[in-house]
Every structure is written in C-alpha cells, then in structure tokens.
Amino acid sequence: MCKSIIAALGKLRDVRAVPALIAHLPDVLTRLEVVQALGEIGDASAEPVLVERLKSDEYVPVRVAAAHALARMGGARAVLALNMVSQQRQRTRVAEAALAGLSELRRGR
C-alpha cells in the first residue's frame, strides 16, 4: 500500500480500514504512516498493535508515532503503556512523546 493511500485512509477515519492497515504493519517502508493512520482513526481494536509498536518497534519515529496515536485513543491499555514508557530512566524521544500524550489526556485534549 502506498503512503498517500495510507494517509488518506487515516483522514477518512473509517474503522473498516483498520484491519487492512494492521495487516500492513510488517512493511518497514510504510510502518510510520500506518501507525499515524491508525491513530487518526482512533479505533480501540488497533490499541494492542500500537502498544506493541510503542514498546518494541526498532524505529524510534514509529515508537513516537505510536505514543501519539495511543494518546489520541486514551483507552486504559493505552494509558498503562504510556505510563510505562514515560517511566524510563533515560529521557528518550519516545519517553518524551509518552509524557506529552499523558499530559494531553490529563487536560482532556
């Protein structure tokens, strides 16, 4: 799937796109855009895969995007994952994104 199609799916915010987007997560070339689109859609069914990306994706920009996506969702699992990542000893870009997401959630976005 090309990046512009993925971005368009996110902007549509149609939950029917979530399974197709999740199926494309293994593709390294579009993973960042898929995570961003899932965050824009905001469907809770994507929460587990976004938590997994936040915790263990090999690319920092993908983990940062997952933190932002989870902050938009605000579910219990998302908050738990953001809290865990924000507690890291080192202040990485990912931990900073998690802290920012938690702050947004506390303000009620």
Side-chain angles (χ1 to χ4, degrees):
M1 206 179 306
C2 79
K3 292 179 181 186
S4 60
I5 292 172
I6 293 167
L9 289 172
K11 288 184 186 349
L12 288 173
R13 293 190 169 99
D14 189 337
V15 298
R16 292 176 296 177
V18 171
L21 289 168
I22 289 172
H24 281 85
L25 272 173
D27 185 355
V28 170
L29 297 177
T30 58
R31 188 177 301 147
L32 176 62
E33 290 78 14
V34 169
V35 168
Q36 291 168 335
L38 289 171
E40 286 184 54
I41 295 169
D43 186 58
S45 67
E47 201 172 79
V49 296
L50 290 172
V51 167
E52 184 59 34
R53 291 295 159 193
L54 174 66
K55 290 180 178 179
S56 63
D57 198 274
E58 60 205 288
Y59 299 105
V60 170
V62 172
R63 293 197 319 263
V64 169
H68 291 299
L70 289 165
R72 281 190 183 134
M73 296 174 131
R77 184 181 291 161
V79 171
L80 187 64
L82 291 169
N83 270 319
M84 185 197 75
V85 171
S86 71
Q87 302 292 324
Q88 292 177 347
R89 290 184 148 248
Q90 292 181 310
R91 282 290 172 236
T92 63
R93 286 180 48 207
V94 178
E96 292 298 330
L99 283 170
L102 289 168
S103 179
E104 278 182 41
L105 288 171
R106 287 187 191 108
R107 285 193 311 263
R109 287 179 271 188

